[in-house]
Amino acid sequence: MKAYIERDDKTVEVQGKTVKDVLEKLKINPVTVIVTRNSEMITEDAELKKSDSIRILSVVSGG
Amino acid sequence: MMACKKCSSSPVFRLSGGEKLCKQCFTDYFEGKARKTIRQFGMLEDNDNVAVALSGGKDSTAVLNILHRMQQRNKNFRLFAVLIDEGISGYRPETIKSAKAFCKKNSIPLRIYSFKQHFGLTLDQMMKKTRLIPCSVCGVLRRYLINKAARELKATKLVTGHNADDESQVIIMNILRGNNEASARLGPITGVVRDKKFVVRVKPLYFLLEKEVTAYAFLNGLLDKLNECKYAHESYRGEVRDMLNTMEARHPGTKTGILNSFIEILQLLKQKYKAKGAVGSCRLCREPSSGDVCKACDIIRQLKG
């Protein structure tokens, strides 16, 4: 599936059954992001399909 | 995937305790927690003239949204927003646009005070004249100007968007640096007894995590695109932030634990450092200062040579 990482402004191809799996693979701490699919926020145990596109938004303020 | 704990709808957020909530129940939880903090610490009183320090970012917009909704239900306080324009190209103009749009949509009066107008220079211009760290210069001048603005506009309370992450980071930074005196000036309410010229500052998002604030902002259409200040490079805070985020992921509740422990000892710290907290006036600008000349005037003197 495709994951857009907002902080780095890049899209990566990644596989995982759940949001938690994907964040682990990308080495992203779940405490530091919220994740959306089709503009809806989803929890870390949400199951993902290969055809999904997700967005990983940083929660850390930048000044 | 389990349903929302409260209403069985599809969940969008998992709290650090493990409960999952849908959009509406999360919004209710978030606003309820901010209102509880306001009540618990007596942050607002009848007839208060409330200024919200608005940056256009998620934290200050979220807290302004909550107060606006409270005010719509119960009009026993007045509400307006104050924005400090430091003059940071590529960053501040965008956030000013967001702040103006939000205030216009919700009919909230917005006042803008700028570094250029009050100090004669924008932060960008200042940085060309000094080797001082931009965040230190900006922090001192912004705190100075927001207090002055709030007082000039006759605010009785100044609301800021500080969240549980901000506060727990500063508490730990002060501990690591052995600076309890600085911690004595922290807490959900500050500036209460120090000087009449200080407008009391309150932090309704004190117990809400940055992740929760972001989720609330996203779910309520308050989250604009990521906007990062070009000067932001707080390396020490960044290290503490990363450490706390690692701990929070492994041991949920860490940040709240820090805040609760701190609240328990805060009064002792305040008592211990009370005498040192007494303030006079800066001989140049007459604003409150613990020294002969306040930090803001000292910086401006250095910059103007």
Side-chain angles (χ1 to χ4, degrees):
Chain A
M1 88 198 61
K2 284 189 168 61
Y4 171 71
I5 306 168
E6 184 206 33
R7 178 149 285 259
D8 304 334
D9 192 23
K10 70 174 183 186
T11 303
V12 296
E13 192 66 41
V14 60
Q15 298 308 324
K17 280 187 180 171
T18 62
V19 170
K20 190 172 177 240
D21 291 342
V22 167
L23 294 179
E24 266 175 24
K25 281 189 181 164
L26 296 172
K27 295 190 168 51
I28 293 173
N29 181 340
V31 166
T32 65
V33 292
I34 58 170
V35 177
T36 67
R37 176 176 55 194
N38 300 328
S39 305
E40 297 283 336
M41 221 167 85
I42 50 177
T43 57
E44 282 149 46
D45 62 351
E47 290 179 3
L48 299 170
K49 291 187 214 132
K50 281 185 179 174
S51 56
D52 277 341
S53 246
I54 61 169
R55 289 174 73 85
I56 300 170
L57 311 178
S58 173
V59 309
V60 177
S61 301
Chain B
M1 186 169 61
M2 283 163 62
C4 171
K5 196 193 171 201
K6 295 191 189 282
C7 76
S8 328
S9 301
S10 180
V12 298
F13 196 88
R14 184 177 178 275
L15 302 178
S16 56
E19 309 94 317
K20 286 185 218 158
L21 299 174
C22 69
K23 178 181 174 179
Q24 188 56 55
C25 292
F26 174 77
T27 298
D28 292 346
Y29 150 82
F30 186 91
E31 294 184 352
K33 199 162 176 179
R35 285 197 304 269
K36 187 181 167 196
T37 303
I38 290 172
R39 276 196 310 276
Q40 189 182 344
F41 293 94
M43 290 181 175
L44 295 185
E45 294 157 294
D46 281 349
N47 302 318
D48 258 338
N49 191 25
V50 180
V52 174
L54 181 66
S55 72
K58 66 180 191 311
D59 302 289
S60 58
T61 309
V63 79
L64 180 56
N65 194 52
I66 291 173
L67 288 171
H68 176 60
R69 288 170 79 146
M70 282 175 70
Q71 199 206 25
Q72 281 180 317
R73 268 184 260 171
N74 182 358
K75 293 185 188 293
N76 58 357
F77 62 91
R78 291 185 300 281
L79 182 67
F80 66 97
V82 185
L83 187 148
I84 302 298
D85 177 5
E86 309 89 346
I88 304 172
S89 63
Y91 167 66
R92 189 50 79 200
E94 280 298 312
T95 59
I96 291 179
K97 218 184 276 176
S98 305
K100 278 183 175 170
F102 180 82
C103 288
K104 192 177 176 193
K105 185 179 160 200
N106 293 289
S107 306
I108 300 166
L110 169 67
R111 295 292 296 267
I112 298 177
Y113 277 61
S114 74
F115 277 17
K116 177 82 179 168
Q117 186 189 348
H118 285 81
F119 304 119
L121 297 166
T122 64
L123 188 68
D124 285 346
Q125 289 168 335
M126 291 175 191
M127 285 307 109
K128 285 178 187 155
K129 291 173 170 259
T130 179
R131 287 188 172 180
L132 292 171
I133 299 166
C135 297
S136 308
V137 173
C138 185
V140 168
L141 298 184
R142 202 158 54 161
R143 273 193 298 276
Y144 174 95
L145 192 52
I146 195 87
N147 185 68
K148 194 174 177 190
R151 204 182 62 240
E152 278 181 8
L153 298 167
K154 300 195 176 2
T156 52
K157 296 283 163 55
L158 177 60
V159 174
T160 67
H162 289 100
N163 60 46
D165 287 59
D166 299 326
E167 190 82 352
S168 57
Q169 285 159 17
V170 182
I171 291 166
I172 297 300
M173 283 162 70
N174 287 343
I175 289 173
L176 296 177
R177 287 166 164 164
N179 194 351
N180 280 334
E181 191 178 348
S183 284
R185 295 193 292 268
L186 298 176
I189 300 191
T190 57
V192 181
V193 289
R194 291 189 72 211
D195 190 288
K196 270 192 252 171
K197 284 184 173 175
F198 277 124
V199 179
V200 175
R201 292 180 185 215
V202 299
K203 307 169 186 171
L205 307 185
Y206 194 83
F207 293 105
L208 287 154
L209 298 170
E210 187 150 37
K211 176 161 174 156
E212 295 177 319
V213 181
T214 311
Y216 174 79
F218 177 83
L219 293 169
N220 289 277
L222 310 174
L223 195 62
D224 231 336
K225 64 175 186 250
L226 185 73
N227 228 320
E228 198 156 356
C229 175
K230 64 185 174 191
Y231 296 120
H233 69 290
E234 293 179 284
S235 58
Y236 192 67
R237 181 189 276 264
E239 281 180 52
V240 171
R241 180 181 64 207
D242 292 346
M243 175 182 79
L244 291 181
N245 283 339
T246 303
M247 291 293 288
E248 184 71 34
R250 288 184 192 158
H251 311 283
T254 294
K255 293 170 190 171
T256 307
I258 292 169
L259 295 181
N260 287 334
S261 302
F262 179 69
I263 296 277
E264 259 192 64
I265 60 161
L266 181 58
Q267 284 315 313
L268 296 173
L269 287 175
K270 282 193 187 297
Q271 275 169 22
K272 178 166 180 182
Y273 294 103
K274 204 174 177 180
K276 283 191 171 181
V279 286
S281 295
C282 168
R283 78 175 153 79
L284 299 177
C285 70
R286 313 309 301 162
E287 287 294 306
S289 170
S290 48
D292 178 40
V293 172
C294 73
K295 282 183 185 170
C297 285
D298 190 39
I299 288 174
I300 296 303
R301 265 197 321 197
Q302 286 183 50
L303 289 167
K304 292 187 173 170

